[in-house]
Amino acid sequence: MATTLPNLQDWRFTVDFEGIAWAIIDRKGESMNSLGRRPTEELGDIVKAVEAAAASGEVKGLVIMSAKERSFIAGADIREFESFDTEPRIKEVVRQTLDLFDRIERLPVTVVAAIHGYCLGGGLELALACDWRIADREEGTRLGFPEVKLGIFPGLNGTVRSIALAGPTDAMTAMLTGRMLRPSAARAIGLVDQLVATHHNLRWAARKAVLQKRASKGAPWWKRLMLKQPIRGMLAKQMRTKTAAKVREEHYPAPFRLIELFEHYGDDPESMRVAETEMFAPLMASEGSRNLRRVFKLSEMLKDEAPKDGFKPLRVHVIGAGTMGGDIAAWCVTQGMQASLQDLDEAQIGKALARAKGLFKRQLRTKLAIDAAIARLIADPKGAYVKHADVVIEAIVEKLDVKQKLFTALEKQLKPGAVLATNTSSLKLEDIARPLADPGRLVGLHFFNPVAQLPLVEVVRGAETREGEVRKACTFVTAIAKLPLIVKDCSGFLVNRVLAPYMMEAVRRYQLGEPREKIDQAAMKFGMPMGPLELMDMVGLDIANHVGQELNLAPETDTVLASLVKQGKLGKKTGEGFYVWVEGKPKREEAVYDQAELARLGRELVKPMLDEAERALADQVVASADHVDAGVIFGTGFAPFRGGPIHYRNAEKSAAATTAAAA
Ligand code: NAI
């Protein structure tokens, strides 16, 4: 046989002198490998060549690996998903890939997957069809099934194969949570058979595995026992309860379908293979999955917009160690940066450091990493580190004259090229920058509360802000693993502007006598992560009221909100707001409401938000409708499966037009 295949674009293929075939994926023009049409077809050519050479005894084995720095294969090529619009088309495409994976599984020689970097979704399903999986222990190597986040589940027989290798509990947990596993965790549950220290060791280990004809034995007997009834039924029930505690079936059906698949076919792999495709196709074709894929693309869009040139921020200095400043500094540290934290009040710094420790413990697993993070977060009451910082963020009291004074002093100490930013939520940048010698330097970096949970940061371009500063600010935001959204300097920017009318509508309904629990349930029925009254209690009613007034939505007096603020009932932080809070949780009245009524109320509550999103788009607060949707989803948690406020409004309009045309 030929020892190479000359016409490949996304793969390289060679057979070495020992008779080992090497298939190396290196997608042309891409930084990450994904499984799209062309690489899958080319893999088909490779497998065909190996089938022939194996039959004639010319090859002893096949090793599948990647030439990319950060990925084995990061999943199916999501850009191609949109052409799979109908169930029959989806089944046809899936069938071709399933056949290919089956041929790999049936090859009479040893097939090894040698994994470095992201091995996710379809990439992991390919690896599972191999006889033996070796992964390196490098920090960037991760394995997992993120499909549920896109409203689907593994559809290339990953359900059957992962259960066979890892047993039902571990495999289903991996698929239901979509969590990315470190190599050691993947090894512990059986998704990986062997670990090596670094990617340099992969080739040698793979060669040995082929020569020794290694093959995974699959899950041990005690794990396989759990596939039998009645254990399987009990497991399915537990999984359903756990999943239902996190998401609603009406909004996110994929994990529930996956549990059904397991419950019905868990001990019958052949039937499960067939049923997997039957249950996968309708999910893939559904509106909800399409919208979740849209959300994924929106996040990629925001990341891609940040320039990748020159600026490499490593040191951050944050002034104001309150709710926001403390959490911003801590977050930057979790992302590998050094952060110094300044405040007039040293006790505030102490509190922020204590809070940061909690975050480090949650985010960083090892003691080594936690200790290193603690060392990188520096108490700096006098601002000695300002002159070393690449990025300086101000998060002090929302008072113009105090901020102006601070910035005037800061400007003289900054190192050249450092980003100078404010976290203000309501002051105009040009006002804050007025006394500066170089007002074009000031940019807004508007974080959301809680910082660790909301992925968005609004990058505010003031009337005078220089473009280069905006670009550097975006680079910084992506460097701390957040999504930058460039917004115009106007009241409420994008997110608060769109969110406030919805909050005020909730207050109005409450004032008109709707029970608070009903209002909150209605918003959640629509798909919001939390009800608006509970959210306001969390944010603080003083802040919510202030934002409402800034945007001329809340009268100074006569509202329930104003009166609660006057009584000092500010929400969670004071123990009472719309709800009474006990041990960090709101005390709710038990009540069951009619679902149709909740759905109607939910739509009505959200309507002012959709209207405002359309107005913000018309006012060009951000660059496009997609940017409005991205900002509102990532800054507020707006029902992701609905695709964003503008997308949802347009879908509503076209549904209404279709109904009208039919009538
Ligand atoms: P906070 O009241 O919790 O903290 C402010 C801190 O700044 C206090 O620790 C105070 O001692 C310190 N401080 C005041 N003047 C100072 C000065 N001249 N030098 C050094 N430290 C000084 O306030 P919070 O809520 O963290 O807000 C800070 C900024 O972030 C404000 O501009 C606010 O508009 C903005 N923001 C607040 C959000 C929120 O949800 N709380 C969300 C997004 C932005």
Side-chain angles (χ1 to χ4, degrees):
M1 76 168 277
T3 53
T4 58
L5 289 173
N7 294 326
L8 301 178
Q9 303 204 48
D10 292 327
W11 291 83
R12 294 200 290 277
F13 179 73
T14 51
V15 178
D16 68 16
F17 71 98
E18 290 185 296
I20 299 173
W22 298 87
I24 318 269
I25 184 167
D26 190 4
R27 278 201 78 173
K28 201 171 161 186
E30 310 265 334
S31 60
M32 286 265 187
N33 287 324
S34 59
L35 272 189
R37 196 179 47 77
R38 192 175 67 193
T40 309
E41 280 172 8
E42 291 185 0
L43 180 60
D45 294 342
I46 292 172
V47 171
K48 199 168 156 197
V50 175
E51 281 166 343
S56 63
E58 285 170 87
V59 302
K60 295 195 185 81
L62 168 67
V63 179
I64 299 177
M65 57 194 297
S66 153
K68 297 280 190 232
E69 210 178 298
R70 287 169 46 226
S71 63
F72 173 73
I73 296 173
D77 190 340
I78 199 166
R79 294 164 299 190
E80 292 180 9
F81 278 24
E82 294 329 301
S83 55
F84 314 156
D85 44 1
T86 63
E87 286 184 39
R89 172 89 186 107
I90 292 163
K91 286 184 191 168
E92 183 193 317
V93 176
V94 165
R95 170 61 40 216
Q96 289 163 4
T97 313
L98 285 175
D99 288 346
L100 175 61
F101 286 11
D102 286 349
R103 279 165 58 204
I104 293 173
E105 195 171 53
R106 282 198 306 267
L107 279 172
V109 293
T110 301
V111 185
V112 175
I115 301 162
H116 164 73
Y118 291 116
C119 173
L120 306 174
L124 179 54
E125 293 182 281
L126 167 62
L128 296 183
C130 300
D131 296 305
W132 190 253
R133 283 151 293 280
I134 309 173
D136 66 32
R137 290 179 187 268
E138 288 189 28
E139 189 49 39
T141 297
R142 290 283 187 283
L143 299 95
F145 292 113
E147 285 88 345
V148 281
K149 296 181 181 162
L150 300 178
I152 50 179
F153 56 67
L156 299 174
N157 284 171
T159 62
V160 190
R161 291 195 176 101
S162 64
I163 289 173
L165 290 167
T169 315
D170 291 330
M172 288 294 287
T173 305
M175 290 187 280
L176 288 171
T177 58
R179 214 173 281 146
M180 288 206 252
L181 302 172
R182 286 169 190 276
S184 52
R187 167 82 186 85
I189 66 172
L191 286 182
V192 162
D193 301 294
Q194 184 184 345
L195 295 176
V196 294
T198 74
H199 68 280
H200 299 295
N201 310 109
L202 277 177
R203 267 186 169 262
W204 185 252
R207 171 190 169 269
K208 261 174 81 178
V210 166
L211 297 178
Q212 294 171 347
K213 298 194 171 62
R214 307 296 288 267
S216 177
K217 291 196 178 58
W221 65 270
W222 55 270
K223 278 191 171 183
R224 290 200 306 269
L225 198 65
M226 289 195 270
L227 290 169
K228 301 280 170 225
Q229 292 294 21
I231 309 180
R232 191 170 82 242
M234 281 154 53
L235 283 179
K237 200 168 157 212
Q238 277 175 11
M239 291 172 194
R240 206 168 273 128
T241 312
K242 267 194 179 168
T243 308
K246 284 193 238 148
V247 292
R248 290 172 183 235
E249 187 170 352
E250 60 179 324
H251 299 154
Y252 298 97
F256 295 91
R257 293 294 88 74
L258 174 60
I259 297 168
E260 266 167 41
L261 177 71
F262 165 69
E263 191 172 30
H264 289 136
Y265 305 101
D267 63 346
D268 179 358
E270 284 318 307
S271 306
M272 192 167 176
R273 278 169 190 257
V274 179
E276 184 197 86
T277 309
E278 289 304 313
M279 292 172 80
F280 172 83
L283 286 173
M284 180 79 170
S286 69
E287 182 72 19
S289 169
R290 216 174 302 221
N291 285 339
L292 290 172
R293 270 134 51 194
R294 171 179 160 71
V295 173
F296 175 76
K297 283 191 217 148
L298 291 176
S299 72
E300 295 293 297
M301 173 188 83
L302 294 186
K303 277 186 222 161
D304 288 346
E305 280 172 6
K308 317 261 174 304
D309 51 4
F311 187 57
K312 294 225 162 31
L314 295 171
R315 295 191 178 92
V316 187
H317 182 79
V318 182
I319 307 166
T323 312
M324 295 304 292
D327 289 4
I328 293 169
W331 178 262
C332 292
V333 166
T334 65
Q335 301 308 309
M337 296 202 183
Q338 180 199 79
S340 38
L341 192 51
Q342 178 182 346
D343 201 294
L344 288 179
D345 181 355
E346 283 196 41
Q348 286 287 84
I349 302 181
K351 276 194 234 159
L353 296 189
R355 229 170 40 239
K357 262 189 206 168
L359 178 72
F360 300 158
K361 281 187 188 143
R362 286 194 302 276
Q363 290 264 329
L364 315 163
R365 303 258 166 86
T366 64
K367 186 170 179 318
L368 198 70
I370 296 168
D371 288 347
I374 292 171
R376 284 200 304 276
L377 181 57
I378 301 160
D380 181 20
K382 299 271 177 292
Y385 283 76
V386 173
K387 57 179 182 290
H388 303 297
D390 303 307
V391 178
V392 175
I393 304 172
E394 166 276 315
I396 65 167
V397 280
E398 192 73 335
K399 287 200 178 120
L400 180 62
D401 56 337
V402 186
K403 290 202 198 262
Q404 282 178 333
K405 206 168 141 215
L406 177 78
F407 276 110
T408 316
L410 270 179
E411 192 184 24
K412 301 185 188 92
Q413 305 168 49
L414 293 179
K415 77 173 183 191
V419 168
L420 183 61
T422 169
N423 185 44
T424 182
S425 30
S426 61
L427 300 171
K428 277 196 117 28
L429 257 65
E430 57 186 291
D431 292 338
I432 301 176
R434 188 160 302 125
L436 294 186
D438 179 12
R441 190 167 193 181
L442 187 71
V443 63
L445 279 175
H446 187 232
F447 286 79
F448 294 90
N449 186 8
V451 176
Q453 274 159 40
L454 288 163
L456 193 80
V457 178
E458 288 177 319
V459 176
V460 190
R461 180 196 277 136
E464 294 182 62
T465 311
R466 268 194 305 279
E467 204 48 38
E469 302 304 318
V470 173
R471 288 164 61 88
K472 280 192 286 183
C474 288
T475 305
F476 164 69
V477 173
T478 42
I480 55 166
K482 296 276 181 197
L483 300 171
L485 176 72
I486 300 172
V487 296
K488 201 160 88 175
D489 188 5
C490 59
S491 274
F493 309 129
L494 175 75
V495 172
N496 283 347
R497 173 174 169 167
V498 172
L499 192 60
Y502 155 74
M503 302 247 215
M504 295 309 146
E505 179 64 12
V507 175
R508 197 179 70 83
R509 294 292 180 130
Y510 179 66
Q511 200 151 349
L512 288 174
E514 293 282 16
R516 57 190 179 196
E517 287 83 0
K518 187 175 170 192
I519 293 171
D520 281 353
Q521 276 189 34
M524 288 170 74
K525 169 106 184 144
F526 179 83
M528 296 309 204
M530 182 187 281
L533 298 178
E534 183 178 348
L535 177 64
M536 274 188 269
D537 267 4
M538 298 259 298
V539 168
L541 298 192
D542 48 344
I543 293 176
N545 194 38
H546 180 72
V547 172
Q549 283 171 6
E550 281 286 326
L551 295 167
N552 294 323
L553 292 168
E556 299 263 333
T557 51
D558 291 347
T559 63
V560 188
L561 187 56
S563 109
L564 285 169
V565 173
K566 213 162 152 198
Q567 295 167 54
K569 295 178 178 169
L570 304 183
K572 188 179 177 185
K573 59 188 169 190
T574 58
E576 188 175 349
F578 288 107
Y579 294 91
V580 171
W581 289 71
V582 181
E583 288 171 6
K585 295 227 160 66
K587 266 177 69 182
R588 295 191 179 91
E589 304 277 331
E590 291 291 326
V592 177
Y593 301 100
D594 175 60
Q595 290 298 308
E597 170 71 8
L598 286 181
R600 186 192 54 75
L601 179 58
R603 283 194 301 273
E604 286 173 11
L605 285 170
V606 167
K607 184 177 175 298
M609 194 178 192
L610 306 181
D611 294 340
E612 195 58 42
E614 284 187 324
R615 281 193 287 271
L617 176 63
D619 289 350
Q620 299 179 340
V621 175
V622 289
S624 71
D626 278 354
H627 289 82
V628 174
D629 282 348
V632 177
I633 293 169
F634 301 124
T636 73
F638 180 94
F641 64 93
R642 298 201 189 270
I646 302 282
H647 181 82
Y648 174 69
R649 172 57 59 89
N650 291 341
E652 259 189 335
K653 281 183 192 159
S654 58
T658 314
T659 315

